[in-house]
Amino acid sequence: MTHHFVRNVAAAAALIAIGASTDAAAQDTGLRPGWSFEIAPYIWLPSVSANLRYNVPSNFGGTADVKANADDYFANLNAAFALAGTVRYDRFSLLTDIMYVSASAGSSRVQSVNLLDVGRDPISSTVDAAGNSTLKTTLWTLAGGYTVASGTWGNVDVLAGFRYLGIDSTTDYSAAVTLVGPRGNAGPTFGGAGRLSGSDNIWNGIVGVRGRINIAESGFFVPYYLDIGAGDSNFTWQTFAGIGYQTGWAGVQAGWRYMSYDQGGNRLVQDMTMSGAYLAVNFSF
């Protein structure tokens, strides 16, 4: 994360906090005093689109670029766990969100191979480089927050923290051609049927805003969330919005969640997006 990026984001967050705090001073804060806790198990089954760059297993080195798509996580789901939680003391809060998903991306294709001494060789769909990828993904967010504005209408929190993405992926491929090095069988080869595998750990600092807008005194509300960040990624961002209902210590909310990563170089995850419906139940005490 560049210093320039950090300064710009910090300045924007400070302006939001100053302006919102001024408005909040003249109205009911709507805050629950003292300690409060919230636990929210949830389901998020996004469609996933990822460009992956594997290291080709060879003494001579090289990479293979794979396009993997999972349009229906539910149909290809192997395992899933997701839980969010918030600890709050007056205006201060600490939130965490952890999710683990193992799913297959049946629509996968090797797009190009770059072997040392051979160079980059694009592979067209006519050579039948179709395959299947399995993505095991762990997402963990931890951030501190501060309520800059609140009232009977809802609240606005600014937050700062980090997000971790850990991914283990494998791609089974079947290509109708075989690429070889200039020394024949003594050189690097790629083709036929085989498997590529890789793993990556991506850490990013994030800043953002979150909260809810209450709909009159009906118990219904509109939750919202947005963060942006950088670090191991060139850029990452996440957003969520939906509709919820709260009665006493229990509630439910549904909506749409989107997350994006943009990297480069020879990292496994070149870029990845996750987008889909979200359903959560929350318990407050």
Side-chain angles (χ1 to χ4, degrees), residues 29 32 48-49 78-79 103 160 202 266 273:
T29 64
R32 178 178 172 181
V48 177
S49 177
N78 299 320
I202 304 168
N266 286 325
T273 60

Side-chain angles (χ1 to χ4, degrees), residues 168-229:
D168 291 305
S169 66
T170 60
T171 297
D172 295 315
Y173 65 87
S174 178
V177 298
T178 299
L179 306 177
V180 299
R183 287 165 287 183
N185 291 334
T189 64
F190 181 91
R195 167 172 287 189
L196 300 167
S197 63
S199 62
D200 205 352
N201 295 292
I202 304 168
W203 296 87
N204 289 305
I206 59 169
V207 295
V209 61
R210 70 165 189 153
R212 63 171 60 183
I213 300 172
N214 296 325
I215 302 176
E217 297 181 0
S218 63
F220 287 95
F221 62 92
V222 176
Y224 61 89
Y225 179 98
L226 172 67
D227 72 42
I228 59 175

Side-chain angles (χ1 to χ4, degrees), residues 38 212 217-221 244-253 282-284:
E38 181 177 279
R212 63 171 60 183
E217 297 181 0
S218 63
F220 287 95
F221 62 92
Y245 180 77
Q246 186 79 29
T247 175
W249 55 271
V252 62
Q253 56 182 284
N282 59 278
F283 305 98
S284 303

Side-chain angles (χ1 to χ4, degrees), residues 145 275 285:
S275 176
F285 54 94

Side-chain angles (χ1 to χ4, degrees), residues 54 117 145 153 196 201:
Y54 292 99
D117 298 329
W153 54 268
L196 300 167
N201 295 292

Side-chain angles (χ1 to χ4, degrees), residues 40-207:
Y42 67 88
I43 297 173
W44 182 35
L45 300 175
S47 60
V48 177
S49 177
N51 287 303
L52 307 173
R53 177 163 292 176
Y54 292 99
N55 290 322
V56 175
S58 167
N59 292 333
F60 293 84
T63 59
D65 293 340
V66 173
K67 177 70 173 179
N69 290 299
D71 296 326
D72 187 352
Y73 244 32
F74 185 77
N76 300 293
L77 190 65
N78 299 320
F81 170 81
L83 182 68
T86 302
V87 177
R88 182 180 292 274
Y89 181 77
D90 293 337
R91 290 184 176 271
F92 297 93
S93 60
L94 180 68
L95 65 98
T96 188
D97 184 330
I98 186 167
M99 183 183 78
Y100 171 80
V101 173
S102 174
S104 298
S107 177
S108 299
R109 191 175 73 83
V110 179
Q111 294 184 305
S112 64
V113 177
N114 186 1
L115 300 178
L116 298 185
D117 298 329
V118 176
R120 183 179 177 84
D121 193 337
I123 296 179
S124 69
S125 58
T126 58
V127 301
D128 191 24
N132 179 74
S133 295
T134 298
L135 304 177
K136 297 179 180 179
T137 304
T138 300
L139 279 166
W140 178 37
T141 300
L142 182 66
Y146 182 78
T147 303
V148 295
S150 65
T152 56
W153 54 268
N155 70 286
V156 178
D157 288 11
V158 293
L159 60 92
F162 68 84
R163 180 163 58 245
Y164 164 77
L165 170 65
I167 183 168
D168 291 305
S169 66
T170 60
T171 297
D172 295 315
Y173 65 87
S174 178
V177 298
T178 299
L179 306 177
V180 299
R183 287 165 287 183
N185 291 334
T189 64
F190 181 91
R195 167 172 287 189
L196 300 167
S197 63
S199 62
D200 205 352
N201 295 292
I202 304 168
W203 296 87
N204 289 305
I206 59 169
V207 295

